Amino acid sequence: MLIDQSKFLFVAISLFFIGLCGIMLNRKNIILMLMSIELMLLAVNFNLIVFSVFLDDIIGQIFALFVLTVAAAESAIGLAILVVYYRIRGTVSIEYINLLKG
Amino acid sequence: MYLLLVFFPLIGFTISLFFGRFISPRGTALITCTFLILSFILSCLSFFEVGLSRSPVYIKLSPWIDSELFDASWGFMFDSLTVSMCVLVTCISSLVHIYSTGYMSHDPHQPRFMSYLSLFTFFMLMLITSDNFIQLFFGWEGVGLCSYLLINFWFTRLQANKSAIKAMVINRIGDFGLALGIFSIFVAFKTVDYSTVFSLIPYFDGYSISFLQFNFDLVTLIGLLLFIGAIGKSAQLGLHTWLPDAMEGPTPVSALIHAATMVTAGVYLIIRCSPIYEYSSSALFYITVVGALTAFFAASIGVFQNDLKKVIAYSTCSQLGYMVFACGLSNYSISMFHVLNHAYFKALLFLSAGSVIHALSDEQDMRRMGGLIQLLPFTYTMIVIGSLALMGFPFLTGFYSKDVILEIAYSKYNFLGTFAHWLGITSASITAFYSFKLIYLTFLAAPNGYKSSMQSVHDAPFSMGLPLFFLSICSIFVGYLTKDLFIGLGTPFWNGSIFILPHHLNIIDAEFIPIHIKWIPFFVSIFGGSLAVCLYHLLLRLSFSFYNNTSLFIFIYTFFNKKWFFDRLQNELIGSSLLKIGYAITYKTIDKGLIEFFGPSGISNMVFIVSKQVSDLESGKINQYAFLMFICTTLLVSISLVLSVIAPYIDLQLSFMFVLYIIINNIKLNKIK
């Protein structure tokens, strides 16, 4: 089966860059940031699967599964950190997260 | 004997400086005077041996500097020139020592004073007896140092401090020229010994030396550089301003240093280097011009001074001009003769002035004196003898040297000679004018001083009177007695210590100039003197009203009273602009500016600023961190892409730092306030 690979890759890269812009341009909401990270991981996953199919190799899909679990764990931990942070500070706006000033 | 002659004053200095506090002021006075008189007696003996018996003495004491080609030794050379100066220096110095015991008897620092005087005498003897230029320079700097110490003797007085610094600095300008002269002598001759240099001079005639692409005639260059030294030390026009200010020191100091000995060192240098000057007619030209101008310039200022000591100081300056232009006209022996004679009557004048000042409880302004003839008859007699000798009254000492100088100037029969002659004649009449003005205002005019100071007037005590008496005897007789010895026709006295080229010799021509020219100095002196007395005695009221009503005359008076504004020009054009350069350029621009900017504080500021900028990158904003990561990743990728293409054209490390710097600055701009 002949697949037009470049279209799939275009989608993946577009998703990735949308996630990236979400991280960089977002100044208010940290939840959006987490969502953008998820989006980027999804883009990567998509990319892995596309290549796995294109190269006819199962390793990519195994990787994708791992990434899924890692992403789930990561978002769980991230949300937990956010909850803890919210309890202490009462806000999760990025503007006020600047304690690490150089 | 010859070494003792030089080192006796040093012994006196050492004893009175280090043991002065143990042996009472009177003890130090006694010791220093004794050593000086011993030195004087030895000088007289050496004058007999070297000068009259014509047997020069040469003593090589010990090596001083011995390095490959350069060798200078502690050597002493006693020829006719040296012993004449030795007699002069030790004679004046011992008389001044004796005088100081009376004049400074109430001063709390008398041991220090006597020790400085002795040290000065030692350095002066070192200067005149040396056999090489290095040792001459040693003595030269030494007398400058002693001049500083002695002008500054009353160190609590601000004016004395300033004058001493001025004397030291202006002398140092001349010393720099002298040092350059010695360097160029060494470059050319590879030695600094008198005997070698002087015997080699004829072979270097027309030889030129190249410096910074300029070619100089060697002999002229050496002559002019040495002459700059003489200008400084002998207070010739240009560097003369220190001499009148040096009157801030005690009067015996003025008599010893600034009238009789130290200022003659410059003239001595020219006379000693006569073989050098004889081979350079352009150096002789400049010497003559400067000397003649100084003679006229200083005399014209002297007329309008009101300070007793300043008048005599300017007269010294003027007489030094006579000596220098006599040298410039190649009559070194006549110049030397005038040095010797001048020392006696100038010391006499200064010491008598000191006696007047002492009597009037330190009043120096001539306008506050007057009527002292009844109170100070002895001092009056002395000062009249001194003044008559100074203005060249016939058959006194000054007559024999001064008139000869004017005659040889006339008999040069060229522009230079005529120039010097007429300036000399003019200054002779002015000299007579201010001498008589001084006598009239101080002794003959109606009393103008305070009653309290008039009541305590007393004539010179024995210790001050004796030197005055001795000097007055010298001022009357020395010229007549030694004329034939020093400048007589074909005198064998100089015995090769002075060299004159045969075609420069004109002392015989000077004997056969028209008789009216010979009479001119006499008449102008008498005219000047009588004019002074007329003006101040008969026409005082008239001239005063004339002065008050004519602004031109006020201008002229101010012009001369303020020394042709020479000091002011010097201070405002040279002094203050140099100070401004020192502050604005060397201090502010170079030291605090360039060196600090590229040096310690610049680097530390730079490190501080850059580190501040780098740490500002860490804004604490998470999205900015992310942005930074993205930018850097992009850059890294793009650089790795284009690197292979542009690598030959750029310096990798530098451009990396450049990019880093741009990033840092841009991020700083993006910082959210």
Side-chain angles (χ1 to χ4, degrees):
Chain A
M1 189 179 74
L2 197 70
I3 308 169
D4 191 1
Q5 191 206 11
S6 60
K7 286 174 181 160
F8 288 95
L9 289 182
F10 178 73
V11 170
I13 288 173
S14 305
L15 274 179
F16 187 82
F17 272 94
I18 289 166
L20 206 62
C21 290
I23 289 178
M24 288 194 302
L25 303 180
N26 163 37
R27 297 182 168 182
K28 296 281 180 194
N29 203 339
I30 203 156
I31 309 280
L32 272 182
M33 202 175 251
L34 268 179
M35 287 161 69
S36 303
I37 291 172
E38 289 299 318
L39 196 59
M40 284 163 75
L41 286 170
L42 279 180
V44 169
N45 256 354
F46 191 61
N47 220 359
L48 282 171
I49 290 167
V50 167
F51 273 102
S52 152
V53 172
F54 179 69
L55 296 174
D56 201 13
D57 188 353
I58 202 68
I59 300 289
Q61 293 176 27
I62 294 171
F63 257 96
L65 279 175
F66 278 129
V67 170
L68 266 183
T69 52
V70 167
E74 179 244 302
S75 56
I77 293 169
L79 279 171
I81 291 172
L82 269 188
V83 170
V84 172
Y85 192 79
Y86 181 76
R87 277 192 191 153
I88 296 171
R89 298 288 299 265
T91 176
V92 285
S93 182
I94 297 176
E95 284 168 290
Y96 302 113
I97 306 179
N98 53 6
L99 284 177
L100 290 173
K101 205 177 221 165
Chain B
M1 177 179 108
Y2 291 93
L3 287 180
L4 276 184
L5 150 68
V6 177
F7 285 99
F8 264 147
L10 185 65
I11 300 171
F13 158 73
T14 318
I15 292 176
S16 75
L17 186 72
F18 292 111
F19 307 105
R21 51 190 302 175
F22 306 116
I23 51 172
S24 80
R26 287 194 68 81
T28 52
L30 187 71
I31 283 174
T32 46
C33 287
T34 315
F35 277 117
L36 252 297
I37 290 169
L38 282 175
S39 180
F40 172 57
I41 293 168
L42 292 181
S43 301
C44 291
L45 286 177
S46 65
F47 186 78
F48 173 76
E49 268 192 33
V50 175
L52 302 181
S53 312
R54 292 202 289 287
S55 52
V57 174
Y58 186 85
I59 302 168
K60 199 115 184 164
L61 197 60
S62 74
W64 180 8
I65 303 165
D66 195 357
S67 160
E68 298 277 325
L69 279 175
F70 180 53
D71 62 324
S73 54
W74 295 100
F76 296 88
M77 182 175 70
F78 291 85
D79 59 5
S80 315
L81 186 57
T82 305
V83 288
S84 334
M85 280 299 278
C86 275
V87 170
L88 168 81
V89 169
T90 50
C91 171
I92 302 289
S93 184
S94 38
L95 290 174
V96 167
H97 271 76
I98 296 168
Y99 183 89
S100 308
T101 59
Y103 190 84
M104 303 295 283
S105 55
H106 303 298
D107 198 279
H109 298 291
Q110 207 187 357
R112 186 161 63 92
F113 187 73
M114 301 308 276
S115 69
Y116 286 166
L117 282 185
S118 289
L119 182 67
F120 168 77
T121 315
F122 166 71
F123 277 126
M124 191 69 201
L125 288 172
M126 209 67 183
L127 192 161
I128 56 187
T129 57
S130 75
D131 77 328
N132 59 52
F133 282 101
I134 301 288
Q135 197 179 332
L136 172 115
F137 195 69
F138 172 71
W140 192 272
E141 292 294 314
V143 293
L145 168 73
C146 288
S147 161
Y148 173 81
L149 293 174
L150 282 167
I151 297 170
N152 208 3
F153 179 70
W154 291 313
F155 51 81
T156 48
R157 294 179 57 213
L158 189 61
Q159 207 54 41
N161 291 331
K162 277 154 68 180
S163 299
I165 290 169
K166 187 174 184 180
M168 194 73 176
V169 169
I170 292 186
N171 262 305
R172 188 52 45 87
I173 297 171
D175 295 347
F176 186 62
L178 177 64
L180 288 181
I182 296 173
F183 296 157
S184 43
I185 283 174
F186 179 72
V187 166
F189 298 98
K190 305 283 180 281
T191 180
V192 286
D193 252 22
Y194 285 156
S195 46
T196 323
V197 173
F198 294 158
S199 52
L200 283 177
I201 279 285
Y203 300 105
F204 282 82
D205 193 16
Y207 190 87
S208 69
I209 189 168
S210 177
F211 177 71
L212 292 178
Q213 307 291 324
F214 291 105
N215 280 319
F216 298 104
D217 182 43
L218 176 73
V219 185
T220 308
L221 179 72
I222 291 174
L224 287 180
L225 287 174
L226 294 182
F227 181 52
I228 290 174
I231 287 178
K233 199 61 91 185
S234 285
Q236 297 297 301
L237 189 61
L239 299 179
H240 66 280
T241 47
W242 69 271
L243 183 61
D245 283 12
M247 295 302 123
E248 291 298 329
T251 310
V253 171
S254 311
L256 178 61
I257 298 189
H258 309 118
T261 44
M262 182 173 129
V263 288
T264 60
V267 184
Y268 169 81
L269 178 72
I270 299 176
I271 297 172
R272 171 60 76 196
C273 298
S274 58
I276 297 178
Y277 286 107
E278 278 306 288
Y279 283 97
S280 164
S281 49
S282 50
L284 285 178
F285 175 82
Y286 290 116
I287 290 181
T288 315
V289 170
V290 171
L293 285 177
T294 311
F296 174 69
F297 167 82
S300 72
I301 295 173
V303 177
F304 292 93
Q305 296 301 312
N306 293 315
D307 188 308
L308 189 58
K309 286 174 78 178
K310 287 245 165 92
V311 173
I312 310 178
Y314 276 107
S315 135
T316 303
C317 207
S318 163
Q319 297 300 313
L320 287 165
Y322 275 94
M323 297 167 201
V324 167
F325 84 67
C327 285
L329 298 169
S330 294
N331 286 280
Y332 305 97
S333 53
I334 295 169
S335 174
M336 190 63 208
F337 187 44
H338 196 51
V339 166
L340 298 172
N341 295 343
H342 170 258
Y344 294 112
F345 56 75
K346 195 44 66 70
L348 175 63
L349 275 176
F350 256 117
L351 295 184
S352 324
S355 171
V356 173
I357 293 165
H358 196 62
L360 283 178
S361 45
D362 299 335
E363 176 58 62
Q364 291 199 15
D365 198 326
M366 285 197 294
R367 292 168 296 188
R368 297 246 180 86
M369 294 177 180
L372 292 175
I373 183 167
Q374 277 91 7
L375 297 167
L376 301 172
F378 177 72
T379 311
Y380 172 71
T381 318
M382 293 303 125
I383 218 164
V384 165
I385 293 173
S387 295
L388 287 179
L390 171 69
M391 61 183 264
F393 196 79
F395 314 121
L396 290 179
T397 297
F399 171 72
Y400 292 99
S401 48
K402 193 169 167 181
D403 280 23
V404 174
I405 288 179
L406 293 173
E407 282 167 22
I408 55 112
Y410 182 82
S411 64
K412 266 294 178 188
Y413 300 121
N414 55 13
F415 161 72
L416 209 53
T418 319
F419 177 76
H421 181 244
W422 286 110
L423 281 184
I425 292 283
T426 321
S427 0
S429 69
I430 301 175
T431 306
F433 184 89
Y434 64 65
S435 301
F436 269 87
K437 178 192 164 196
L438 189 152
I439 292 173
Y440 185 80
L441 284 183
T442 315
F443 291 99
L444 304 175
N448 284 322
Y450 299 112
K451 192 184 173 190
S452 56
S453 60
M454 284 294 179
Q455 276 171 333
S456 59
V457 163
H458 54 279
D459 214 337
F462 178 74
S463 58
M464 288 160 70
L466 181 72
L468 288 181
F469 178 72
F470 193 81
L471 282 170
S472 72
I473 298 294
C474 288
S475 299
I476 297 172
F477 294 112
V478 158
Y480 173 69
L481 290 178
T482 58
K483 177 179 187 292
D484 282 336
L485 185 65
F486 286 121
I487 59 169
L489 190 57
T491 171
F493 175 76
W494 295 109
N495 198 14
S497 60
I498 287 175
F499 172 76
I500 304 176
L501 278 183
H503 63 268
H504 284 167
L505 198 66
N506 72 335
I507 192 162
I508 304 168
D509 300 336
E511 289 296 319
F512 299 105
I513 60 175
I515 197 73
H516 64 274
I517 299 291
K518 291 198 175 200
W519 275 103
I520 284 180
F522 173 72
F523 282 121
V524 294
S525 301
I526 297 297
F527 171 73
S530 38
L531 183 70
V533 176
C534 282
L535 214 55
Y536 284 94
H537 190 63
L538 303 173
L539 302 173
L540 187 60
R541 202 168 294 278
L542 185 68
S543 56
F544 189 68
S545 65
F546 183 66
Y547 171 77
N548 268 353
N549 296 328
T550 321
S551 60
L552 178 69
F553 193 77
I554 294 178
F555 173 75
I556 292 173
Y557 180 84
T558 320
F559 181 70
F560 286 112
N561 184 263
K562 298 294 173 198
K563 307 143 193 177
W564 291 31
F565 295 113
F566 212 103
D567 282 47
R568 199 169 151 193
L569 279 179
Q570 198 179 42
N571 285 342
E572 289 185 1
L573 287 185
I574 303 172
S576 68
S577 61
L578 281 180
L579 270 181
K580 266 180 203 147
I581 288 174
Y583 179 68
I585 295 185
T586 47
Y587 177 68
K588 275 175 85 174
T589 311
I590 296 180
D591 276 8
K592 299 298 284 183
L594 281 177
I595 294 177
E596 290 253 316
F597 184 73
F598 290 108
S601 73
I603 288 177
S604 72
N605 277 342
M606 187 71 187
V607 168
F608 184 73
I609 289 169
V610 168
S611 64
K612 189 90 179 72
Q613 286 177 351
V614 170
S615 88
D616 277 348
L617 280 181
E618 308 260 322
S619 62
K621 302 274 162 37
I622 295 169
N623 59 329
Q624 281 187 19
Y625 290 177
F627 183 72
L628 204 63
M629 283 180 213
F630 175 61
I631 293 285
C632 288
T633 317
T634 317
L635 267 178
L636 203 63
V637 171
S638 47
I639 285 173
S640 60
L641 278 178
V642 296
L643 193 60
S644 57
V645 184
I646 61 170
Y649 307 110
I650 57 162
D651 182 32
L652 201 58
Q653 289 164 334
L654 271 184
S655 45
F656 177 70
M657 287 172 74
F658 178 67
V659 169
L660 202 65
Y661 188 74
I662 287 177
I663 290 171
I664 287 166
N665 273 332
N666 286 334
I667 295 298
K668 194 184 153 204
L669 289 178
N670 282 340
K671 196 173 73 174
I672 299 163
K673 294 280 176 344

